[in-house]
Amino acid sequence: VYKRQAEFQALQQYHDRLISQGMIQDTILLMNRALNQDKRILVEGANAVMLDLDFGTYPYVTSSSTTVGGIMTGLGIPPSRIQTTIGIVKAYTTPVSYT
């Protein structure tokens, strides 16, 4: 028997803990506050272009923008605030899965 109220109460405890410890943040606000304080932000895209939702080798893509554009769409950092980008390239492509 599914106990909806018991599950809700357990999830509410997790929620309260995450909020009280500052583990849930408005990351767009967080990033822009850091930029306004002249802090440096290092952003890493781990999936590479071939897995990018828009430019990757469909259907073997992820659900996000893995290129430098993901900084703007994912973190809300405007292009005018990006000072330096570094690209790492490999000479071959490895797909997520061929079955």
Side-chain angles (χ1 to χ4, degrees), residues 49-61 93-96 98:
V49 174
M50 299 309 282
L51 297 179
D52 186 85
L53 181 61
D54 298 312
F55 301 105
T57 52
Y58 184 83
Y60 307 104
V61 297
T93 301
T94 51
V96 176
Y98 279 125

Side-chain angles (χ1 to χ4, degrees), residues 8 14 25 27 29 36 41-42 44 46 52 56 60 63 66 68-69 72 74 78 84-85 89 91 97 99:
F8 178 78
Y14 289 124
Q25 299 275 332
T27 54
L29 183 61
N36 290 337
I41 299 172
L42 174 65
E44 179 217 7
D52 186 85
Y60 307 104
S63 62
T66 62
V68 70
M72 292 158 272
T84 304
T85 59
V89 180
S97 172
T99 56

